[in-house]
């Protein structure tokens, strides 16, 4: 919901707004911190791909990122990354 209203903003700009909304809506500060770390990694990956705005992301881009992430991390880390990304785009 938050992302749709700010569709033309950069991924990096939206992350702190999103994590503040998590804690404002009752999520623990640790959850917000973990999600922020995941989303910072997500944004860094896409900045190396020259994709910096939410409107430029595609489903295939995100799936490519998750495959890349899964190759170097345990399943629990990848599952949390999926949860972080899913919450970011709700």
């Amino acid at each position: 919901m938050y992302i749709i209203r700010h569709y033309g903003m950069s991924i990096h700009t939206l992350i702190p707004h999103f994590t503040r909304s998590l804690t404002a809506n009752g999520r623990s500060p640790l959850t917000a911190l973990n999600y922020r770390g995941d989303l910072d990694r997500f944004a860094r990956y896409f900045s190396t791909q020259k994709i910096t705005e939410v409107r430029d992301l595609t489903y295939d881009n995100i799936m490519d990122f998750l495959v890349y992430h899964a190759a170097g991390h345990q399943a629990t880390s990848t599952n949390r990354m999926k949860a972080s990304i899913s919450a970011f785009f709700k």
Side-chain angles (χ1 to χ4, degrees), residues 5-87:
R5 285 184 272 138
H6 299 286
Y7 187 66
M9 294 179 73
S10 77
I11 301 166
H12 280 292
T13 300
L14 288 171
I15 292 169
H17 296 286
F18 169 72
T19 54
R20 275 196 303 273
S21 75
L22 287 175
T23 54
N25 288 302
R27 300 302 290 266
S28 78
L30 183 58
T31 296
L33 181 67
N34 287 333
Y35 276 32
R36 183 175 183 143
D38 289 341
L39 293 170
D40 284 340
R41 282 186 284 288
F42 177 78
R44 277 194 307 273
Y45 170 85
F46 285 110
S47 68
T48 67
Q49 307 295 314
K50 307 298 184 216
I51 299 172
T52 59
E53 294 197 12
V54 171
R55 70 173 164 230
D56 297 327
L57 285 170
T58 67
Y59 176 82
D60 288 337
N61 294 143
I62 296 169
M63 291 302 106
D64 290 344
F65 168 75
L66 289 171
V67 168
Y68 165 80
H69 185 271
H73 295 87
Q74 294 182 353
T76 54
S77 176
T78 299
N79 287 337
R80 191 183 72 210
M81 179 63 78
K82 289 177 187 177
S84 300
I85 293 168
S86 177

